[in-house]
Amino acid sequence: MGRTRVSDSERKRALVACTVCRASKRKCSGSIPCVLCMQRGAAASCVVANTSRKSRNGRSAPVRDPITALNSQSSQCLLQTVAIEHTTISREPVAEPRMLRTLRGEQVYVGQAASISFLQLVREIVYRHIGPSQFSHNDQTESMLETQSSNATTPLFSPPEVHLDLKQLLCFSEFFESAVDGLLDIFAPLEIKGLLSESSVNPSHYRNAYKRATVDLIIAIGAQCHSPSSAVGEGHQYSKHAQQLALSEVLEDPNVDLVRSFLLMAFYMLGCCRRNAAFMYIGIAVRAAVTLGLHSRKSYADMSLPRYQLRLRIWLSLCILDMTISAILGRPAATSALRAELEADLEDLAADMNKSEMNLGSLVASYMILTVIINIVDDFYRQKPITEVSINIYLLDIEAWKVNYGSAIMETPASISPSSVGSVHLSCLHHFAITLVTRPILIPVLTRQNSDTGKSESVIAQLCIDAATSLVKVCAVAHKRDLFLGNMCILKALVLIAGLILGLQRFFRHQIDDAVDLVYSDASRILQFLAAQSPQAAHYFEILSLLSTAIARQHEISASKEKSKSVSRVDSVLSLHRAIDENPTVSTDTQCQFQFDTIAKSELAGTLFAESVGEELYDWDHFDITQWDDFQQLSYNPDLNILDE
């Protein structure tokens, strides 16, 4: 016997979604207008999307063109000046997936959206314009920078040789909480302090190895972000001990502590410039979380209980780090097929937690913007057609996120008032999302050098440059206000991408732009600061330095070409003068016409000499101007920029 049909009014999920929600893969309330469209200010344009499935009465739902939906009230948002078209965006030039080699010579995959792939695209563009250089050709082009593991020299299960008192442990825990602020929230209130207090009294008293590994990783990450000396000393020893403990259980007994330990090991590995290891640890944590049912709505029976609240925050943190690493490396996220079930009810679960005074806060904001980012990677960097409609839909989605969570981000340099590292993380993810969706437009616009570029394409390309500028400015202000830690494992990759975008803009701009140059210098200074504790940041700083050298060379080449054009124009005029001197029998009318044709071709009109090379190139005392007397009969028309009889 089938179950009783649930009435439409009692359904928790909508039968159909509106056009914009369906295109942007967002949960739709099913009402007309839906909740998201009302938040976007596009209530009048909210219509039911057409689906391939028919309704129960056999008739398809009505549908309107998505362009019509985007062209009404939604035009008041970020893109009100952009004309939406159906044309497919050119993919030339475009970043390509790459196979790079590790320290051991093994090949690893990085996708189109990866910062490494974008870097290679920039190298190819620079090479085509100025030829080989240290920036475009070096020994590291085909390898993936990673530090050497020291497992071979570390005795198995060797406890940390350093002994820290409770004050030192709590100091490292504060750095740990700042480092993961806005990205990870996997401990109950006051749990960290309790774990560290217990560790200082009786380090061996834990119910399982994963619990002890989690404590060691809190200390290791805090030491990694504290100072270069603590990163090499306490950080290294505690991380190795935690790694040995976590792997000693052979992954045979999944539990929440296992998920937390591998999640923290992945975060630590990002700071150590071991991104492949971090990617694999995330995979282990995800499979363990699925075993425990953290991805399923059914496993969260009562959100008023702290136990279920902790499980939800662990799952969200796991998804956030997974999507962040996958977006930076351009690889498929391990949680891609697992987020949908819980995501549909995430807002309700968050509301339940808010009632119990356990606000998810910036965690949900990070999760939501990263969901948009990973959808952009899937849609735009998997060889799928890119249209201005799809770009604008994602920009509208980012704008909707900003409406909901804008209070948690740093908006403009004039109003920046960062209160935590979490606000910096959120702001940079917001700007990174804009650069990611607009990059496919930016590259063709710059390489075509404004020829055959439509207004809408120019606006979208400028959005990319503005977002990169804002990202660097946010980091520069945070650094100035001492919010930057010694190791910022996520931000250093985002600053590199922003620096490459600004570098490309400088490369193709022939005139000096002091504002862009200043921001580019800020990006270099930030990476130079992080280079003290991060080999990866040091490599990124070297990349931007070499790019600056390539930019200077490009400007020299451009200046040389302009000088050659000026010299050729002068030569043509001198040739004219010699031709007249050598043919004195030529009629005055013929001479005037010859002079006029030559001047028109050289595009100098009536101000040729002063504007091209200046008066110093001519010996006016010996310059014979008797043949030019008939020009007194001519008049200059400034509107036409030619000489009229």
Side-chain angles (χ1 to χ4, degrees), residues 374-419:
I374 210 67
N375 287 338
I376 294 171
V377 172
D378 291 340
D379 287 348
F380 286 8
Y381 297 88
R382 297 279 189 268
Q383 296 295 339
K384 296 181 180 180
I386 301 176
T387 64
E388 289 190 26
V389 170
S390 58
I391 289 175
N392 282 282
I393 286 176
Y394 275 117
L395 288 171
L396 286 170
D397 218 30
I398 296 171
E399 185 70 10
W401 177 89
K402 182 179 174 182
V403 170
N404 292 329
Y405 305 102
S407 59
I409 68 173
M410 298 158 63
E411 178 57 29
T412 60
S415 61
I416 286 179
S417 180
S419 58

Side-chain angles (χ1 to χ4, degrees), residues 166-201:
L166 182 58
K167 182 178 180 180
Q168 292 173 307
L169 294 176
L170 292 177
C171 176
F172 286 144
S173 71
E174 291 177 359
F175 277 85
F176 165 79
E177 291 177 345
S178 294
V180 302
D181 189 15
L183 300 173
L184 308 181
D185 187 5
I186 60 175
F187 295 99
L190 304 179
E191 183 179 3
I192 293 179
K193 185 175 181 180
L195 290 172
L196 295 179
S197 299
E198 187 177 359
S199 175
S200 64
V201 175

Side-chain angles (χ1 to χ4, degrees), residues 447-469:
T447 53
R448 288 199 299 263
Q449 298 187 20
N450 297 326
S451 62
D452 300 327
T453 300
K455 179 181 178 181
S456 59
E457 288 185 346
S458 299
V459 172
I460 294 176
Q462 188 60 45
L463 278 176
C464 186
I465 296 172
D466 292 343
T469 301

Side-chain angles (χ1 to χ4, degrees), residues 551-568:
I551 292 169
R553 182 177 174 185
Q554 164 72 348
H555 289 176
E556 289 176 0
I557 293 174
S558 299
S560 178
K561 290 180 179 178
E562 289 297 323
K563 184 177 180 180
S564 298
K565 290 180 181 179
S566 298
V567 172
S568 65

Side-chain angles (χ1 to χ4, degrees), residues 25 54 61 91-92 146 240 322 442 455 469 498 526 613:
K25 300 178 182 179
K54 293 185 177 181
R91 284 188 168 275
E92 294 294 338
E146 288 199 310
K240 286 303 171 188
D322 174 46
L442 174 72
K455 179 181 178 181
T469 301
I526 291 168
V613 294

Side-chain angles (χ1 to χ4, degrees), residues 480-528:
K480 184 178 180 180
R481 300 187 181 183
D482 296 328
L483 279 178
F484 256 46
L485 306 176
N487 196 319
M488 309 290 285
C489 63
I490 303 299
L491 293 183
K492 60 189 176 187
L494 303 186
V495 171
L496 171 67
I497 295 173
L500 290 175
I501 291 172
L502 296 173
L504 268 182
Q505 199 262 2
R506 294 179 67 216
F507 186 84
F508 286 104
R509 182 182 289 273
H510 299 303
Q511 296 180 349
I512 297 176
D513 190 333
D514 294 335
V516 175
D517 290 350
L518 180 60
V519 177
Y520 187 85
S521 299
D522 287 339
S524 297
R525 279 193 291 269
I526 291 168
L527 293 175
Q528 187 177 24

Side-chain angles (χ1 to χ4, degrees), residues 138-389:
N138 59 67
D139 296 336
Q140 299 175 326
T141 302
E142 300 301 324
S143 61
M144 186 174 183
L145 177 66
E146 288 199 310
T147 57
Q148 179 69 49
S149 174
S150 57
N151 281 343
T153 60
T154 304
L156 188 62
F157 295 109
S158 59
E161 297 179 358
V162 294
H163 299 284
L164 305 175
D165 56 28
L166 182 58
K167 182 178 180 180
Q168 292 173 307
L169 294 176
L170 292 177
C171 176
F172 286 144
S173 71
E174 291 177 359
F175 277 85
F176 165 79
E177 291 177 345
S178 294
V180 302
D181 189 15
L183 300 173
L184 308 181
D185 187 5
I186 60 175
F187 295 99
L190 304 179
E191 183 179 3
I192 293 179
K193 185 175 181 180
L195 290 172
L196 295 179
S197 299
E198 187 177 359
S199 175
S200 64
V201 175
N202 188 1
S204 60
H205 181 64
Y206 291 98
R207 63 173 180 265
N208 60 59
Y210 297 123
K211 177 71 75 174
R212 173 62 204 233
T214 301
V215 176
D216 285 354
L217 286 164
I218 294 173
I219 302 170
I221 294 173
Q224 184 186 60
C225 299
H226 180 266
S227 64
S229 58
S230 63
V232 175
E234 295 88 343
H236 176 74
Q237 293 190 38
Y238 275 92
S239 67
K240 286 303 171 188
H241 189 233
Q243 191 176 35
Q244 294 162 359
L245 289 172
L247 296 175
S248 66
E249 298 293 309
V250 203
L251 308 179
E252 293 180 352
D253 184 23
N255 54 55
V256 170
D257 290 321
L258 184 154
V259 177
R260 292 200 292 192
S261 60
F262 276 90
L263 178 59
L264 292 179
M265 279 198 296
F267 193 89
Y268 180 82
M269 287 297 171
L270 286 178
C272 289
C273 189
R274 295 189 58 82
R275 289 163 287 178
N276 291 321
F279 189 77
M280 290 188 291
Y281 284 149
I282 280 289
I284 295 174
V286 169
R287 302 323 299 177
V290 172
T291 304
L292 299 174
L294 299 187
H295 69 296
S296 175
R297 176 67 179 87
K298 295 181 180 180
S299 65
Y300 300 93
D302 186 357
M303 288 307 299
S304 63
L305 298 179
R307 173 171 171 262
Y308 293 111
Q309 296 171 3
L310 179 61
R311 287 165 63 92
L312 178 61
R313 287 188 283 111
I314 291 174
W315 173 251
L316 292 179
S317 300
L318 182 57
C319 291
I320 287 171
L321 195 60
D322 174 46
M323 290 188 285
T324 302
I325 296 176
S326 299
I328 292 175
L329 294 179
R331 297 172 179 171
T335 56
S336 290
L338 303 170
R339 299 191 304 269
E341 181 177 350
L342 193 60
E343 192 173 289
D345 297 311
L346 182 58
E347 294 179 0
D348 296 335
L349 293 173
D352 291 339
M353 289 187 66
N354 294 343
K355 294 177 182 178
S356 62
E357 297 183 356
M358 278 297 296
N359 198 325
L360 288 177
S362 60
L363 202 63
V364 173
S366 298
Y367 178 89
M368 290 300 185
I369 191 62
L370 281 163
T371 301
V372 177
I373 289 173
I374 210 67
N375 287 338
I376 294 171
V377 172
D378 291 340
D379 287 348
F380 286 8
Y381 297 88
R382 297 279 189 268
Q383 296 295 339
K384 296 181 180 180
I386 301 176
T387 64
E388 289 190 26
V389 170

